[in-house]
Protein backbone atom coordinates (compact mmCIF):
# COMPACT_ATOMS: atom_id res chain seq x y z
CA UNK A 1 0.00 0.00 0.00
CA UNK A 2 1.26 3.50 -0.85
CA UNK A 3 0.88 6.51 1.37
CA UNK A 4 -0.69 9.63 -0.13
CA UNK A 5 -0.29 13.18 1.12
CA UNK A 6 -2.72 15.77 -0.15
CA UNK A 7 -1.48 19.36 -0.17
CA UNK A 8 -3.16 22.53 -1.41
CA UNK A 9 -2.40 23.68 -4.96
CA UNK A 10 -0.68 26.90 -3.81
CA UNK A 11 1.76 24.92 -1.68
CA UNK A 12 2.39 22.55 -4.61
CA UNK A 13 3.17 25.51 -6.90
CA UNK A 14 5.57 26.89 -4.29
CA UNK A 15 7.42 23.58 -4.19
CA UNK A 16 7.63 23.46 -7.99
CA UNK A 17 8.93 27.05 -8.13
CA UNK A 18 11.57 26.24 -5.51
CA UNK A 19 12.61 23.14 -7.44
CA UNK A 20 12.94 25.14 -10.68
CA UNK A 21 15.04 27.76 -8.89
CA UNK A 22 17.35 25.05 -7.50
CA UNK A 23 17.76 23.44 -10.93
CA UNK A 24 18.62 26.80 -12.51
CA UNK A 25 21.16 27.53 -9.79
CA UNK A 26 22.76 24.12 -10.31
CA UNK A 27 22.99 24.70 -14.07
CA UNK A 28 24.58 28.14 -13.54
CA UNK A 29 27.02 26.80 -10.95
CA UNK A 30 28.60 24.19 -13.20
CA UNK A 31 32.06 25.30 -14.26
CA UNK A 32 32.82 25.95 -17.92
CA UNK A 33 35.13 23.43 -19.60
CA UNK A 34 38.85 24.16 -19.22
CA UNK A 35 40.55 25.88 -22.14
CA UNK A 36 42.43 23.62 -24.54
CA UNK A 37 45.99 22.84 -23.59
CA UNK A 38 48.67 24.73 -25.54
CA UNK A 39 50.93 22.61 -27.78
CA UNK A 40 54.55 23.82 -27.93
CA UNK A 41 56.97 22.97 -30.71
CA UNK A 42 60.08 20.98 -29.86
CA UNK A 43 62.25 24.10 -29.72
CA UNK A 44 59.74 26.00 -27.57
CA UNK A 45 59.30 23.00 -25.26
CA UNK A 46 63.05 22.58 -24.80
CA UNK A 47 63.39 26.23 -23.75
CA UNK A 48 60.31 25.98 -21.51
CA UNK A 49 61.50 22.88 -19.66
CA UNK A 50 65.20 23.76 -19.66
CA UNK A 51 66.48 20.73 -21.61
CA UNK A 52 68.27 20.52 -24.92
CA UNK A 53 66.24 19.49 -27.95
CA UNK A 54 68.09 16.16 -28.10
CA UNK A 55 67.41 15.41 -24.42
CA UNK A 56 63.75 16.30 -24.88
CA UNK A 57 63.40 13.96 -27.86
CA UNK A 58 65.26 11.19 -25.99
CA UNK A 59 62.80 11.53 -23.11
CA UNK A 60 59.93 11.23 -25.59
CA UNK A 61 61.44 8.14 -27.25
CA UNK A 62 62.04 6.55 -23.83
CA UNK A 63 58.39 7.14 -22.90
CA UNK A 64 59.08 9.63 -20.11
CA UNK A 65 57.29 12.42 -22.02
CA UNK A 66 54.22 12.11 -24.17
CA UNK A 67 54.52 13.96 -27.46
CA UNK A 68 52.03 15.05 -30.08
CA UNK A 69 52.82 14.33 -33.72
CA UNK A 70 52.69 17.64 -35.62
CA UNK A 71 53.73 16.22 -38.99
CA UNK A 72 55.98 13.46 -40.33
CA UNK A 73 59.13 15.01 -38.85
CA UNK A 74 58.14 17.29 -35.99
CA UNK A 75 56.81 16.65 -32.53
CA UNK A 76 54.94 18.96 -30.19
CA UNK A 77 54.48 18.80 -26.45
CA UNK A 78 51.51 19.87 -24.34
CA UNK A 79 52.32 22.44 -21.67
CA UNK A 80 50.52 20.40 -18.97
CA UNK A 81 52.69 17.35 -19.76
CA UNK A 82 55.84 19.47 -19.55
CA UNK A 83 54.73 20.90 -16.20
CA UNK A 84 54.33 17.38 -14.77
CA UNK A 85 57.73 16.18 -16.04
CA UNK A 86 60.05 15.53 -13.08
CA UNK A 87 63.22 17.53 -13.39
CA UNK A 88 65.56 15.42 -11.36
CA UNK A 89 68.70 17.29 -12.36
CA UNK A 90 67.14 20.66 -13.01
CA UNK A 91 69.69 23.27 -13.95
CA UNK A 92 68.53 26.88 -14.16
CA UNK A 93 68.53 28.24 -17.70
CA UNK A 94 70.13 31.51 -18.68
CA UNK A 95 66.71 33.20 -18.60
CA UNK A 96 66.02 32.05 -15.03
CA UNK A 97 69.50 32.92 -13.75
Amino acid sequence: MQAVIIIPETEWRQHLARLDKLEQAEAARQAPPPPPDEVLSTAQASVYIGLSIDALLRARRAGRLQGVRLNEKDWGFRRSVLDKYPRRYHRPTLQAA
Side-chain angles (χ1 to χ4, degrees):
M1 188 183 319
Q2 292 181 347
V4 176
I5 299 174
I6 300 174
I7 60 173
E9 184 178 356
T10 56
E11 189 178 341
W12 175 251
R13 299 256 182 234
Q14 288 174 350
H15 286 296
L16 286 179
R18 183 172 176 228
L19 180 62
D20 287 339
K21 192 183 295 185
L22 288 173
E23 287 175 346
Q24 289 173 358
E26 178 67 26
R29 191 177 68 186
Q30 291 188 2
D37 199 8
E38 182 180 5
V39 177
L40 302 175
S41 68
T42 305
Q44 292 171 333
S46 68
V47 170
Y48 180 75
I49 200 168
L51 295 174
S52 68
I53 293 174
D54 293 333
L56 186 69
L57 292 176
R58 276 195 309 268
R60 187 204 54 79
R61 280 193 300 271
R64 293 189 304 266
L65 269 175
Q66 181 182 9
V68 176
R69 183 75 109 166
L70 297 178
N71 57 36
E72 292 180 11
K73 287 183 166 184
D74 295 329
W75 286 89
F77 298 90
R78 296 191 190 279
R79 188 179 295 267
S80 62
V81 172
L82 295 174
D83 289 337
K84 293 177 187 173
Y85 183 70
R87 295 177 219 168
R88 193 174 292 161
Y89 304 107
H90 178 66
R91 295 181 188 97
T93 60
L94 294 176
Q95 297 171 352

